[in-house]
Each structure stands twice: as structure tokens, then as C-alpha cells.
Amino acid sequence: MRAIAWYVLAAVIVLLDQVTKNYMVANLNYSQPVPVIEGFFNWTLLYNKGAAFSILADAGGWQQWFFIGIATIFSIVAIVWIWRTRKDLIIEPLAVALVLGGALGNLYDRAVLGHVVDFIQLYWRTSYFPAFNIADMAITAGAILLIIDALRETLGRKPQ
């Protein structure tokens, strides 16, 4: 597949991410859970100034620029990576496009809002998984696909 198709996928992820975040910001009260599946899943509007799992969230502000820098550098690398990937490959550029779309969605939040908007909250009884968003799901799915692809290549099973 051509690189432009993977860039379009990344753009669709950014759009879906931003539309859902804007909807949740407009319709939820901060930190007040709205049950979707009782005992497992809430919509809960939260703001994250840190990285995954709120790492460095209370670092004093410098972390915003640090994460903006990392996301910007990764996004440039991902754009070039997709461009240089062989046209007959699917898993690798799909994975990179997913991570790129997620990175750009969260980068936009950090640059414009100063925090990332999260709204999906999973839990079991009193144990809560950190809240996340569509961009985070795309990043996670892309990372898993990259690992699977690397393992397939390492084991000699990657299709030509």
C-alpha cells in the first residue's frame, strides 16, 4: 500500500480522537464517573499532564515541553519510516500509522490545552486502570503490532 494511505489512517485516528475528546469535554463533568458497564467501565473526564499512567504529572510544568518534543521527534521519524517502508508490507506501516495518529492526537492536546484529555476508565471492584483515550488505544495497538511483527521477523516467519 502507498504511504499516503497510511498517512490518511493516521489523520483519521487524530480526527476520531479529537472529536471524542471534544464531545466528552462538552458533556462530562470533570472527575465525575458516568457508568457505562457497572463494575467495569465508566466515562470519566480527566486531564493528564504526564505521560502514560500519569508519569511525571506533578513535575512542575517542564514535562509538557519534554513530551511535546518527544512526540514531535517521533512523529517526524514515523512519517519518514512509513515513507521508506516497502509498499508490499502491511503490518509494519499499519502499526507505525496507528502510533503516529495516537501521538499526534495527544501532541495536539499537550500543545493547545497543556494536558491530555482522557475519558475511558476501566476498573474492577476498587482497582482502577489509569484513564485513557482513543489516541492511547491507537498507540497501544500499534506498539503491540510492532512487537508481533518484530517477533515474526526474528523467528523467520515474516512474509516477503
Side-chain angles (χ1 to χ4, degrees), residues 68-80:
I68 286 173
I70 288 173
T72 301
I73 291 167
F74 175 79
S75 296
I76 293 166
V77 168
I79 290 166
V80 173

Side-chain angles (χ1 to χ4, degrees), residues 45-119:
L45 180 64
L46 297 170
Y47 301 142
N48 181 3
K49 292 187 177 197
F53 308 110
S54 296
I55 295 170
L56 296 177
D58 297 325
W62 64 267
Q63 75 277 19
Q64 175 185 356
W65 300 107
F66 177 72
F67 295 134
I68 286 173
I70 288 173
T72 301
I73 291 167
F74 175 79
S75 296
I76 293 166
V77 168
I79 290 166
V80 173
W81 185 347
I82 291 169
W83 187 261
R84 291 185 173 184
T85 300
R86 287 187 359 223
K87 306 294 183 241
D88 61 325
L89 296 180
I90 294 176
I91 294 175
E92 181 180 317
L94 169 62
V96 176
L98 289 170
V99 178
L100 174 61
L104 290 173
N106 285 340
L107 173 60
Y108 178 86
D109 283 10
R110 285 187 200 288
V112 174
L113 305 174
H115 57 261
V116 173
V117 175
D118 290 324
F119 59 88

Side-chain angles (χ1 to χ4, degrees), residues 32-50:
Q32 293 184 5
V34 175
V36 177
I37 300 173
E38 193 66 41
F40 179 68
F41 171 34
N42 293 330
W43 297 128
T44 306
L45 180 64
L46 297 170
Y47 301 142
N48 181 3
K49 292 187 177 197

Side-chain angles (χ1 to χ4, degrees), residues 18-38:
Q18 290 302 306
V19 166
T20 56
K21 288 174 179 175
N22 288 332
Y23 179 83
M24 294 303 183
V25 167
N27 290 287
L28 295 176
N29 294 318
Y30 186 81
S31 191
Q32 293 184 5
V34 175
V36 177
I37 300 173
E38 193 66 41

Side-chain angles (χ1 to χ4, degrees), residues 5-26:
W6 300 118
Y7 298 145
V8 168
L9 174 60
V12 167
I13 291 165
V14 173
L15 180 64
L16 180 61
D17 178 62
Q18 290 302 306
V19 166
T20 56
K21 288 174 179 175
N22 288 332
Y23 179 83
M24 294 303 183
V25 167

